[in-house]
């Protein structure tokens, strides 16, 4: 009996311990559940606070955005509102974002239209304070781009600051293809426009940092650029576009032939020793190919083609009278007297000068349109303006 009683007591003790343990576990679980609930409530409260704060911030941002929009509208209204003293004058703030460093040192020889000279290269350098290099990301994926620029070498830019009644704006301009005939300025691509803004297209050869290497350009060195946009064939190319009949004469400005004198190669080699450091071209041979492409078109003005000696006589007369007021314009004066026999204008031989990358390429052209390129020399006035930072070596590894 005593053994049976001991067994019962042991069982009762085991049951008691088990119940105590379960009770403790239950109490612990309840406590844990209470603590978890409190934490959940606390987190829920914080989430609600964060949601309220986020909504408040969103409302504040929306309010600030609406305020900025209203301020921008008012600013645009003020900028574009005609001034009280001149109710017809409206202006917009536009500042160049970059500058073109072109192979064409002067206006003379710069093609009349883009892509006519495939080897014509230029380096467009952006002002990094206005255009971060990241702005050019993606442009290298396009083959061509549009460039909006300023005709900064127009000789009549001062008219832009005059009252329209005093500006002397000419509604019609002389057109080379019409042999001096006049046409409305908006029916031409004349640089002399009410707003001297140009639009051109060029091939994108490479992009590096804040620079674009372009080819096929018709831009003179130093041209200020306002904007660059990618060329989109699906909307920029118009297959059934129509032009006037006077634009259909393809050979009007082409020359009959181009040849180089025996002295040309040696003179170019002598100049290339210094020019190579600043040139956008890999070799003298490539530079000679550029000369060939440029002179394949008769780049002379209408007056030079019709009366070349009159241009010379006028210049000589100005020099004899001591008129040097237009000394800067002489950079673009390309016809010079080589020899004079018996002081006869008919015996003058006119030599033209094409300035490419600071090199003076002298040539002559006969009445049949045959061009003879004589020699190359350095053009001291422009020699120091060519920046070696934009030379061929800069782009050698990126050229396609």
């Amino acid at each position: 009996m005593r053994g049976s009683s001991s067994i019962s007591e042991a069982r009762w003790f085991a049951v008691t311990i088990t119940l105590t343990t379960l009770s403790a576990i239950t109490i612990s679980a309840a406590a844990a559940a209470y603590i978890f609930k409190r934490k959940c409530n606390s987190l829920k409260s914080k989430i609600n606070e964060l949601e309220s704060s986020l909504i408040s911030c969103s409302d504040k941002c929306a309010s600030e955005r609406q305020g900025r929009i209203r301020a921008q509208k008012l600013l645009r209204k003020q900028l574009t509102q005609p001034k009280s003293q001149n109710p017809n004058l409206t202006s917009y703030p536009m500042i160049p974002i970059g500058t073109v460093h072109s192979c064409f040192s002067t206006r003379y020889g710069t093609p009349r239209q883009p892509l006519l000279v495939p080897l014509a290269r230029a380096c467009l350098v952006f002002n990094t304070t206005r255009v971060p290099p990241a702005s050019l990301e993606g442009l290298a994926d396009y083959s061509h781009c549009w460039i909006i620029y300023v005709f900064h070498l127009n000789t009549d830019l001062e008219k832009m600051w005059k009252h329209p009644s005093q500006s002397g704006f000419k509604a019609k301009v002389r057109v080379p293809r019409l042999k001096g005939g006049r046409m409305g300025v908006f029916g031409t691509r004349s640089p002399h426009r009410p707003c001297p803004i140009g639009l051109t297209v060029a091939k994108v050869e490479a992009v590096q940092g804040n620079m674009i290497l372009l080819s096929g350009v018709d831009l003179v060195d130093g041209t200020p650029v306002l904007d660059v946009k990618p060329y989109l064939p699906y909307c920029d190319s118009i297959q059934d576009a129509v032009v006037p009949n006077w634009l259909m004469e393809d050979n009007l400005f082409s020359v009959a032939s181009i040849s180089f004198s025996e002295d040309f190669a040696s003179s170019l080699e002598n100049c290339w020793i210094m020019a190579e450091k600043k040139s956008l071209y890999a070799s003298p041979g490539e530079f000679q190919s550029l000369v060939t492409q440029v002179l394949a078109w008769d780049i002379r003005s209408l007056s030079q083609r019709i009366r070349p000696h009159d241009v010379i006589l006028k210049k000589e007369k100005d020099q004899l009278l001591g008129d040097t007021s237009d000394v800067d314009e002489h950079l673009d004066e390309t016809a010079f007297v080589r020899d004079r026999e018996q002081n006869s204008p008919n015996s003058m031989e006119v030599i033209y000068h094409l300035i490419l990358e600071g090199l003076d390429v002298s040539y002559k052209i006969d009445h049949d349109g045959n061009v003879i390129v004589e020699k190359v020399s350095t053009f001291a006035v422009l020699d120091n303006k060519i920046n070696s930072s934009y030379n061929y070596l800069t782009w050698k590894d990126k050229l396609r």
Side-chain angles (χ1 to χ4, degrees):
M1 293 296 289
R2 292 183 63 181
S4 176
S5 176
S6 297
I7 294 172
S8 297
E9 290 177 355
R11 288 178 176 175
W12 173 251
F13 181 73
V15 170
T16 302
I17 292 175
T18 302
L19 291 174
T20 303
T21 303
L22 290 174
S23 177
I25 292 173
T26 302
I27 294 172
S28 298
Y34 175 75
I35 294 172
F36 178 74
K37 186 176 180 180
R38 286 191 61 184
K39 287 183 177 180
C40 287
N41 291 336
S42 176
L43 289 173
K44 186 176 180 180
S45 176
K46 289 182 178 180
I47 290 173
N48 291 334
E49 290 178 3
L50 290 173
E51 287 179 345
S52 299
S53 177
L54 180 60
I55 293 172
S56 176
C57 289
S58 297
D59 292 341
K60 185 178 180 181
C61 289
S63 177
E64 290 177 351
R65 182 173 181 272
Q66 291 297 324
R68 286 197 303 271
I69 292 174
R70 287 193 295 269
Q72 290 170 356
K73 287 182 178 179
L74 290 173
L75 178 60
R76 282 198 300 269
K77 185 177 180 180
Q78 290 297 323
L79 289 173
T80 60
Q81 188 174 12
K83 306 297 184 293
S84 58
Q85 65 272 22
N86 189 355
N88 295 319
L89 181 61
T90 301
S91 60
Y92 298 88
M94 289 191 183
I95 299 176
I97 60 174
T99 305
V100 172
H101 298 269
S102 170
C103 64
F104 299 106
S105 302
T106 67
R107 288 174 296 182
Y108 183 78
T110 303
R112 292 183 173 91
Q113 303 297 340
L115 306 179
L116 293 180
V117 181
L119 270 177
R121 293 176 185 160
C123 179
L124 172 52
V125 182
F126 290 92
N127 181 350
T128 54
T129 61
R130 295 187 173 276
V131 181
S135 305
L136 302 181
E137 290 182 7
L139 183 61
D141 297 331
Y142 296 88
S143 64
H144 295 76
C145 68
W146 294 106
I147 302 169
I148 302 173
Y149 62 97
V150 179
F151 289 109
H152 69 299
L153 292 183
N154 280 3
T155 56
D156 56 355
L157 285 179
E158 73 282 355
K159 296 179 180 179
M160 297 294 299
W161 284 268
K162 294 182 178 180
H163 189 276
S165 62
Q166 301 175 347
S167 67
F169 168 68
K170 296 180 180 179
K172 290 190 174 184
V173 295
R174 294 186 183 275
V175 181
R177 284 183 175 270
L178 292 178
K179 299 180 180 179
R182 294 183 179 275
M183 186 65 62
V185 65
F186 293 123
T188 74
R189 291 193 174 186
S190 168
H192 301 284
R193 319 184 71 81
C195 291
I197 296 176
L199 173 66
T200 188
V201 66
K203 184 179 179 181
V204 179
E205 294 287 354
V207 177
Q208 178 173 294
N210 66 321
M211 302 183 295
I212 308 174
L213 181 64
L214 305 166
S215 66
V217 300
D218 60 346
L219 301 171
V220 68
D221 189 61
T223 296
V225 171
L226 299 175
D227 195 13
V228 173
K229 303 177 188 293
Y231 177 88
L232 305 178
Y234 73 89
C235 61
D236 290 341
S237 177
I238 305 174
Q239 300 298 326
D240 56 349
V242 177
V243 298
N245 292 332
W246 54 268
L247 282 169
M248 302 301 291
E249 298 184 44
D250 294 335
N251 298 324
L252 184 62
F253 294 109
S254 59
V255 300
S257 67
I258 301 176
S259 60
F260 294 84
S261 69
E262 296 179 355
D263 298 331
F264 178 84
S266 60
S267 64
L268 178 56
E269 288 288 348
N270 292 335
C271 294
W272 195 253
I273 298 174
M274 293 299 297
E276 182 180 15
K277 301 176 182 178
K278 304 176 181 180
S279 178
L280 285 168
Y281 298 89
S283 64
E286 191 176 31
F287 182 84
Q288 183 172 344
S289 297
L290 169 67
V291 174
T292 301
Q293 290 185 8
V294 173
L295 295 181
W297 304 88
D298 192 345
I299 58 179
R300 297 176 299 172
S301 65
L302 179 65
S303 59
Q304 287 175 331
R305 293 198 302 271
I306 297 176
R307 296 182 300 274
H309 297 102
D310 289 355
V311 176
I312 304 304
L313 291 174
K314 181 181 184 302
K315 181 181 178 183
E316 285 188 335
K317 181 179 179 181
D318 291 342
Q319 290 176 340
L320 289 173
L321 292 175
D323 183 3
T324 58
S325 59
D326 58 345
V327 66
D328 291 336
E329 293 295 330
H330 289 170
L331 294 177
D332 285 336
E333 189 64 76
T334 57
F336 297 89
V337 178
R338 180 179 181 181
D339 294 309
R340 182 194 299 270
E341 295 179 3
Q342 298 178 352
N343 296 325
S344 173
N346 294 329
S347 64
M348 293 179 186
E349 187 177 43
V350 180
I351 300 296
Y352 297 94
H353 293 256
L354 170 66
I355 313 300
L356 296 174
E357 292 200 312
L359 295 181
D360 183 353
V361 180
S362 58
Y363 74 98
K364 57 185 178 181
I365 181 170
D366 62 22
H367 295 291
D368 297 322
N370 298 301
V371 174
I372 301 175
V373 186
E374 295 199 327
K375 64 178 182 178
V376 179
S377 59
T378 56
F379 198 65
V381 176
L382 297 172
D383 183 56
N384 294 327
K385 294 185 179 182
I386 311 298
N387 195 320
S388 58
S389 301
Y390 319 126
N391 63 8
Y392 174 79
L393 295 177
T394 303
W395 302 97
K396 182 179 179 181
D397 296 335
K398 288 185 172 287
L399 287 175
R400 294 195 267 257

